[in-house]
Amino acid sequence: MNLATDLIHAGAEIFLLVMVSIILIADLFVTGRSKMFTYLLVQLTLLGCALITVSTHEPGVAVTAFNGMFVDDLMADVLKLLSYLAVSALLIYSRGYLLARGLFSGEFMVLTLFALLGMMVMISACNFVTLYIGLELLALSLYALVALQRDSAVATEAAMKYFVLGALASGLLLYGMSMLYGATGTLDIYKMSVAIELGVNNKALLVFGLVFIVAGLAFKLGVVPFHMWVPDVYHGAPTAMTMLISTAPKLAAFAFTMRILADGLQPLMIHWSGMLVILAMLSIALGNVAAIAQTNLKRMFAYSTIAHMGFLLLGVLSGGIEGYGSAMFYAVVYVLMSMGGFGMILLLSREGFEADKLSDFKGLNQRSPWLAFMMLLLMFAMAGVPPTVGFYAKFAVLEAVVQTGHIPLAIFAVMFSLIGAFFYLRIVKLMYFDTPESHEPINMQPDTALLISINSIAVLLLGILPGTLMSVCAVSVQQSLLLH
Amino acid sequence: MNLETLVFYLFGAITLLAGLRVITARNPVHAAMFLVLAFCSSAGIWLLLEAEFLAVTLILVYVGAVMVLFLFVVMMLDINLDQLREGFWRWFPFGAALALIMVAEMVWVLGSRTTADTVGAVQHAANYSNTKELGRLLYTDYVYPFELAAVLLLVAMVAAIALTLRRRIGVKSQDIAKQVQVKKADRLRIITDESERKTDAQSGS
């Protein structure tokens, strides 16, 4: 395969990089606080990326490029399109919030796009080198974004914690990768899978490396016992950055887990699925129980993320098309719900006021019945109440778990989801049955109002008609598994 | 034991000792200097493996640039290490126990078995160019991650500027454009004093 065709397959990444460089320069000449020109340019860039990704897609086949460094398959394209959508929605949601705090700068947008580039690299990487560079590109941009609000001591502390623990996780991951390289002699994940199947000299070295890989992945996903950074970072970072951390990167993290564990280390599944069982059980238990004690909504969402990531791992450890497909479906649904939840906090916040405490949601129904109803849909989805999509996502994962015979595991997950339903439904109770503490008018921009409505109604509609998305997930996972 | 093995163990021992001193030295400047020593002896090991280019780069980049900057920072900051180490001994038993368990596990997993077939370091002909080979790989097989690594540096640059650049009012700084555009009238004021005007008037009359 020659370089020209390789470049076409990586067209979206190249276009994004070129546009980021242009935006970086162009932004210097844009005056005024609102940065409308830069903002529109960023949105157009995302649209351009989406068009390129769709037009370079080759149906039915997975193409590798750059000597097996890069893979372009259905899973990559679907996840990339969803990432563009998530980043675009993030910018719409967070514009008002960041403008009020003087953070809506060119740097914010450029770093967000760099983070997106990192995610895209991770999503279509199939070599440990590219996987790691994509991860670092994403992580570095996120560290800087969290620290962007320099006057806030909490944000700086969060950035520091995120940076130190993130570096530790990267170290663990690299150590594991070097062990696997030592055992198999290759960094290409498909070749590695073949090499393991053919048999290696030292299986202990392989499993030893696997332990570090799983620990590094667990750090990045934020599952127990590697979750310590999640609540502090979610709480300390400006809400818009929290939203960025908790949405699109989860799609990339799913792809990352899939490529390493399901594609590269499939022959070691007996070993890693056991580790994932422990991680998933601990996460679901701790996430759901600890969230009850929180009075800060961002912190509560952080623990809820830990529990959701536990569910995602349940799908991955079940294996097979059902398992991986349901995990991908869960990741997509989680991004949708999390987007809405943080979007609501951003919407209710105003200059000098963060609507991130539970008491800020008291009596929301009297202040704005429509917003309260949207929040109700989102909370029902997170709790997994039918007919919202949250129910279907949990159902699909549990179905895959039961099919593999882990029935006690499924029962355990259901029990703790029931406990978790308490703190989601508490918000619904606060909104509908309590009297509001403040009567400040909610000033919404028309675009954010429209977006939150679309977001919440999508949660409902996808729950009623999950078939299309589910089959897209199943087909993309199947194609990605066929490669080796 | 041939000479090569002897040199390897010598460099290995120096690297380990220097690494140990980096974390135990009381004076941060000494710690930085020990890190330089560790880099130098690792470069020696790489030379032994016939990776000359990497060895030279390690010295040039890490010792020559990174560690010098590091030393500047360490010397400029007034770090009181004793204050930083407060509570070290209180947590030491806990940390040491954890570390011991980890080491024991590693030895248990890896120690009893042989690792992959080792045939010693790869030997190359005298005219083999390490630099050429690396360059060829970087610009062909690894061109995609290589370019991405460049993007990583760009992100670091953008992030560093975004986090540290602040426009404060009242800071004395030079504006080159204004300095260049300055006119004579802005800087020079011609004063004619009383006596001079008198002499002018006299000589004129």
Side-chain angles (χ1 to χ4, degrees):
Chain A
M1 187 150 291
N2 61 11
L3 191 63
T5 42
D6 284 358
L7 291 178
I8 289 171
H9 286 299
E13 280 86 353
I14 295 170
F15 174 73
L16 180 62
L17 180 58
V18 171
M19 285 309 288
V20 175
S21 310
I22 291 175
I23 291 167
L24 194 60
I25 306 282
D27 178 66
L28 294 176
F29 299 98
V30 179
T31 48
R33 249 167 67 93
S34 68
K35 298 275 182 194
M36 203 58 193
F37 175 74
T38 321
Y39 170 70
L40 288 178
L41 204 58
V42 171
Q43 293 286 16
L44 278 180
T45 305
L46 292 171
L47 187 67
C49 284
L51 290 178
I52 294 175
T53 304
V54 171
S55 61
T56 56
H57 175 67
E58 287 181 35
V61 282
V63 195
T64 56
F66 299 107
N67 287 298
M69 293 278 163
F70 180 93
V71 60
D72 184 13
D73 56 3
L74 185 63
M75 182 169 94
D77 285 345
V78 169
L79 288 178
K80 274 183 205 170
L81 285 175
L82 291 169
S83 305
Y84 306 148
L85 209 62
V87 170
S88 171
L90 164 99
L91 288 169
I92 297 175
Y93 272 133
S94 58
R95 209 169 77 89
Y97 175 90
L98 290 173
L99 272 176
R101 282 152 189 79
L103 290 172
F104 199 69
S105 55
E107 289 84 18
F108 165 73
M109 284 179 268
V110 164
L111 284 172
T112 307
L113 288 186
F114 271 129
L116 177 65
L117 183 65
M119 294 173 218
M120 289 160 72
V121 171
M122 276 166 83
I123 287 171
S124 47
C126 70
N127 185 301
F128 276 116
V129 177
T130 28
L131 277 171
Y132 182 71
I133 290 187
L135 180 70
E136 282 305 286
L137 195 54
L138 168 65
L140 263 184
S141 317
L142 289 182
Y143 303 147
L145 279 170
V146 173
L148 212 55
Q149 192 178 21
R150 278 177 314 193
D151 320 328
S152 153
V154 200
T156 314
E157 189 194 323
M160 210 57 210
K161 276 183 186 159
Y162 194 24
F163 179 67
V164 172
L165 288 175
L168 186 68
S170 298
L172 286 178
L173 208 57
L174 269 186
Y175 194 56
M177 285 176 184
S178 72
M179 289 286 165
L180 293 182
Y181 180 64
T184 60
T186 177
L187 282 172
D188 185 301
I189 54 169
Y190 300 119
K191 283 187 192 139
M192 183 171 283
S193 151
V194 173
I196 297 172
E197 262 165 11
L198 288 177
V200 289
N201 275 332
N202 190 348
K203 193 130 197 238
L205 190 63
L206 213 56
V207 179
F208 191 66
L210 178 70
V211 174
F212 284 93
I213 294 265
V214 170
L217 281 178
F219 246 119
K220 293 292 176 189
L221 282 170
V223 291
V224 183
F226 304 102
H227 67 287
M228 297 79 80
W229 60 275
V230 182
D232 288 343
V233 172
Y234 273 45
H235 186 187
T239 310
M241 318 309 182
T242 314
M243 187 186 203
L244 177 61
I245 296 172
S246 78
T247 52
K250 300 295 179 201
L251 295 174
F254 167 74
F256 196 73
T257 314
M258 269 299 285
R259 302 262 189 231
I260 293 186
L261 293 184
D263 290 346
L265 301 175
Q266 186 68 34
L268 295 180
M269 191 177 170
I270 336 159
H271 297 285
W272 57 253
S273 64
M275 300 177 202
L276 293 196
V277 167
I278 299 171
L279 294 176
M281 281 175 75
L282 285 175
S283 305
I284 293 173
L286 187 122
N288 280 320
V289 173
I292 294 173
Q294 308 305 322
T295 53
N296 184 295
L297 201 59
K298 276 157 84 179
R299 232 180 156 76
M300 194 193 95
F301 279 150
Y303 282 105
S304 128
T305 304
I306 295 173
H308 284 303
M309 287 302 118
F311 256 96
L312 192 142
L313 286 187
L314 277 188
V316 174
L317 71 89
S318 309
I321 291 161
E322 291 84 20
Y324 300 133
S326 67
M328 182 169 167
F329 186 81
Y330 204 94
V332 174
V333 168
Y334 167 74
V335 169
L336 195 67
M337 299 186 303
S338 178
M339 201 93 210
F342 283 108
M344 196 60 85
I345 300 180
L346 290 174
L347 218 77
L348 296 180
S349 299
R350 49 180 188 273
E351 200 162 349
F353 172 75
E354 296 268 340
D356 62 354
K357 284 171 287 301
L358 283 185
S359 56
D360 296 328
F361 281 78
K362 274 187 185 169
L364 186 64
N365 186 38
Q366 292 171 31
R367 291 166 70 197
S368 165
W370 179 247
L371 275 188
F373 179 61
M374 295 293 110
M375 189 66 177
L376 171 114
L377 284 179
L378 290 167
M379 288 302 112
F380 274 10
M382 284 198 187
V385 177
T388 57
V389 71
F391 166 74
Y392 191 79
K394 281 197 167 67
F395 177 72
V397 166
L398 290 174
E399 200 183 11
V401 173
V402 170
Q403 270 177 11
T404 51
H406 290 97
I407 293 170
L409 195 57
I411 295 172
F412 180 86
V414 171
M415 293 303 287
F416 275 96
S417 299
L418 281 179
I419 295 175
F422 165 76
F423 61 83
Y424 296 119
L425 298 182
R426 180 168 61 183
I427 294 181
V428 175
K429 178 238 167 203
L430 286 176
M431 288 192 305
Y432 281 90
F433 300 106
D434 284 19
T435 47
E437 283 185 349
S438 87
H439 288 279
E440 285 279 337
I442 301 164
N443 43 356
M444 280 185 288
Q445 299 293 320
D447 52 348
T448 41
L450 183 69
L451 187 61
I452 192 100
S453 308
I454 294 175
N455 193 331
S456 311
I457 290 170
V459 162
L460 183 65
L461 280 185
L462 275 177
I464 300 168
L465 307 160
T468 322
L469 182 61
M470 193 67 215
S471 56
V472 167
C473 291
V475 173
S476 21
V477 163
Q478 189 180 20
Q479 205 188 67
S480 136
L481 287 177
L482 274 179
L483 260 178
H484 55 99
Chain B
M1 194 191 281
N2 57 5
L3 183 69
E4 217 178 294
T5 332
L6 195 72
V7 174
F8 169 77
Y9 279 114
L10 182 70
F11 278 129
I14 296 176
T15 313
L16 279 181
L17 278 179
L20 198 67
R21 287 295 290 145
V22 172
I23 47 173
T24 51
R26 287 189 80 81
N27 187 331
V29 178
H30 291 178
M33 293 314 283
F34 274 115
L35 196 55
V36 170
L37 180 62
F39 282 141
C40 288
S41 48
S42 326
I45 294 178
W46 285 2
L47 269 182
L48 215 58
L49 292 170
E50 300 190 2
E52 314 88 22
F53 181 75
L54 289 180
V56 173
T57 320
L58 184 71
I59 301 278
L60 278 183
V61 175
Y62 276 86
V63 178
V66 175
M67 285 315 294
V68 171
L69 281 180
F70 208 81
L71 269 177
F72 272 141
V73 175
V74 168
M75 285 177 179
M76 272 193 233
L77 297 177
D78 182 23
I79 308 170
N80 188 351
L81 269 191
D82 290 328
Q83 216 167 32
L84 282 178
R85 291 219 175 123
E86 229 171 355
F88 174 79
W89 287 108
R90 199 154 60 90
W91 294 105
F92 180 76
F94 181 66
L98 266 185
L100 268 181
I101 292 171
M102 291 271 283
V103 170
E105 279 175 345
M106 285 186 193
V107 170
W108 183 58
V109 172
L110 300 175
S112 57
R113 297 173 183 81
T114 51
T115 43
D117 296 334
T118 43
V119 283
V122 187
Q123 304 285 336
H124 291 292
N127 62 353
Y128 174 82
S129 168
N130 187 257
T131 318
K132 200 170 149 188
E133 203 55 28
L134 264 179
R136 194 189 64 76
L137 274 180
L138 275 187
Y139 288 100
T140 54
D141 291 3
Y142 290 89
V143 67
Y144 179 63
F146 182 65
E147 295 295 330
L148 284 171
V151 179
L152 211 55
L153 292 181
L154 180 62
V155 172
M157 217 155 72
V158 172
I161 294 174
L163 292 183
T164 51
L165 182 76
R166 46 175 88 205
R167 296 186 202 286
R168 275 178 294 184
I169 303 158
V171 178
K172 291 192 168 49
S173 64
Q174 289 182 314
D175 188 342
I176 309 288
K178 273 187 184 165
Q179 285 183 330
V180 171
Q181 282 173 1
V182 79
K183 291 191 188 65
K184 192 174 80 179
D186 300 336
R187 291 278 166 86
L188 194 69
R189 193 150 55 93
I190 299 174
I191 306 167
T192 43
D193 69 6
E194 211 55 31
S195 58
E196 216 174 314
R197 207 178 293 164
K198 267 181 198 159
T199 47
D200 278 358
Q202 279 167 6
S203 61
S205 62

